Amino acid sequence: MPVKDELARRRYEKLVDRLESLMRASLKPRYRGYHGQLILSSGDLAEMGELKDVRRAAREAGRRLGWQPKTHVVDARLFVYDDREVPREISELAAEDAADAIDAELRGH
């Protein structure tokens, strides 16, 4: 039985590492670690294992990054995001970026 426990622990740690890497890649350097999010499709989830295990691993990966991680499932997708209070200057920067993206999209049509 201990061998099975060890294999499960290693599989879990590998999943946490993979999710942490995906979360880190989603961060924009200019937001200094804030506004982190990750969206996993149903295909991603099926590949990673049981939903409860993926959610637990995602929360641990988020904590490693300094997040206050929250998870939600919507239409077979898992949303993982950082629920920390965002400093005002970062929030204003993100709002400007969103406005610029909307403006660019509207001008393109």
Side-chain angles (χ1 to χ4, degrees), residues 39-43 45 51 72-79:
I39 302 169
L40 299 173
S41 69
S42 59
L45 292 173
L51 178 60
H72 293 285
V73 177
V74 178
D75 294 331
R77 290 176 290 177
L78 177 64
F79 291 78

Side-chain angles (χ1 to χ4, degrees), residues 1-60:
M1 193 69 155
V3 171
K4 185 177 180 181
D5 290 343
E6 178 64 21
L7 289 174
R9 186 191 64 74
R10 287 196 317 220
R11 195 172 315 126
Y12 175 77
E13 283 298 320
K14 187 175 180 180
L15 179 58
V16 172
D17 290 344
R18 180 177 177 197
L19 290 167
E20 180 183 358
S21 176
L22 292 170
M23 291 170 165
R24 187 179 307 280
S26 76
L27 294 171
K28 294 183 179 178
R30 59 193 275 141
Y31 296 163
R32 297 185 315 210
Y34 288 94
H35 286 293
Q37 65 177 354
L38 178 66
I39 302 169
L40 299 173
S41 69
S42 59
D44 295 329
L45 292 173
E47 177 188 316
M48 291 181 180
E50 290 189 45
L51 178 60
K52 68 178 179 60
D53 296 330
V54 176
R55 287 179 89 160
R56 190 180 86 180
R59 288 189 298 269
E60 183 170 333

Side-chain angles (χ1 to χ4, degrees), residues 29-35 86-96:
R30 59 193 275 141
Y31 296 163
R32 297 185 315 210
Y34 288 94
H35 286 293
V86 179
R88 187 167 47 99
E89 65 273 9
I90 301 297
S91 197
E92 289 172 357
L93 181 60
E96 288 173 15

